[in-house]
Amino acid sequence: MKHSFHIAIAALSAVFSLTTQAAWAQAAAEPRQDLAVLKQTAEQFLLTQANGLPGEVRVTVGAIDPRLKLPVCPVPEAFLPPSSKAWGKTTVGVRCNVPSAWTIYVSAQVRVHGEYIAAAAPLAQGQTIGQGDIARVKGDLTNLPSGVITDPSQAIGRTAASTIALGAPLRQDALRNQQAIQQGQAVRVILNGDGFSVSSEARALNNANEGQLTQVRTAAGQVISGIAKLGGIVELAY
């Protein structure tokens, strides 16, 4: 009886061993996802997201752990996690929906080499910026403060909101539009329509920078609103 029991245990052990080996062999034989494809998917996605940025875009995707074993995905999908963007150091996700659901996250860096506008001389607070006050500089825009100006037209004619050092990048929030209208000033109201233009005199009811909405009172006492322009002009569109 004891001998038969040992024989049965040995038989079960042999069956278990063969079953385990077969399972391991099947798992090893299952195709695994090519990690290079996932890396390429992430890179192409970031290049597409960065399309239209003002400069030459270069994308570097970090390495994926080679020990990672994922089931094959026919169509891996890249995406940006919340709070991530295709700019500077970032994170991009790659997921699979069918036949197996899985998601990985990969570190990446998006560099944008292009021109930006910097101060060609120290600028004082309130100083109106002219062509000679700015310079075009090339560099990685992702290393610069947000809102950096890349077009000279966005700086010329505006005034410095605070002192700006020589060589400092010009930012949108560091400049303000030049004052065009002063409260109580006599202004010319110009009404532009399809094929006609009419002008009249009025008086400004408030201060306004160029491009801002302002209110004026006409000689007849009517209060109307228009867009402030340099030279004491308020434009209305019909």
Side-chain angles (χ1 to χ4, degrees), residues 92-113:
V92 61
V94 182
R95 62 190 167 205
C96 182
N97 296 317
V98 290
S100 301
W102 50 257
T103 302
I104 65 169
Y105 295 93
V106 187
S107 61
Q109 185 161 16
V110 180
R111 293 182 173 89
V112 182
H113 191 79

Side-chain angles (χ1 to χ4, degrees), residues 180-191:
I181 302 294
Q182 289 185 340
Q183 183 178 1
Q185 175 184 352
V187 297
R188 179 172 294 276
V189 177
I190 299 178
L191 174 62

Side-chain angles (χ1 to χ4, degrees), residues 50-129:
N51 185 35
L53 292 176
E56 179 186 355
V57 177
R58 298 176 184 175
V59 172
T60 303
V61 178
I64 301 176
D65 190 343
R67 297 170 297 180
L68 192 61
K69 306 298 182 184
L70 296 170
V72 170
C73 185
V75 187
E77 176 189 356
F79 65 96
L80 284 174
S83 76
S84 292
K85 56 183 179 180
W87 185 268
K89 290 184 179 180
T90 187
T91 298
V92 61
V94 182
R95 62 190 167 205
C96 182
N97 296 317
V98 290
S100 301
W102 50 257
T103 302
I104 65 169
Y105 295 93
V106 187
S107 61
Q109 185 161 16
V110 180
R111 293 182 173 89
V112 182
H113 191 79
E115 285 189 345
Y116 63 94
I117 306 303
L123 302 176
Q125 181 178 4
Q127 179 178 340
T128 301
I129 298 172

Side-chain angles (χ1 to χ4, degrees), residues 74 121 136 157:
R136 294 176 182 265

Side-chain angles (χ1 to χ4, degrees), residues 19 21 33 41 55 65 79 83 89-91 103 111 130 132 137 159 162-163 175 177 191 199 204 213 224 230 232 236:
T19 302
Q21 291 178 10
Q33 176 63 50
T41 300
D65 190 343
F79 65 96
S83 76
K89 290 184 179 180
T90 187
T91 298
T103 302
R111 293 182 173 89
V137 182
T159 59
S162 60
T163 301
L175 304 180
N177 289 336
L191 174 62
S199 66
L213 187 68
I224 56 178
L230 294 178
L236 290 76

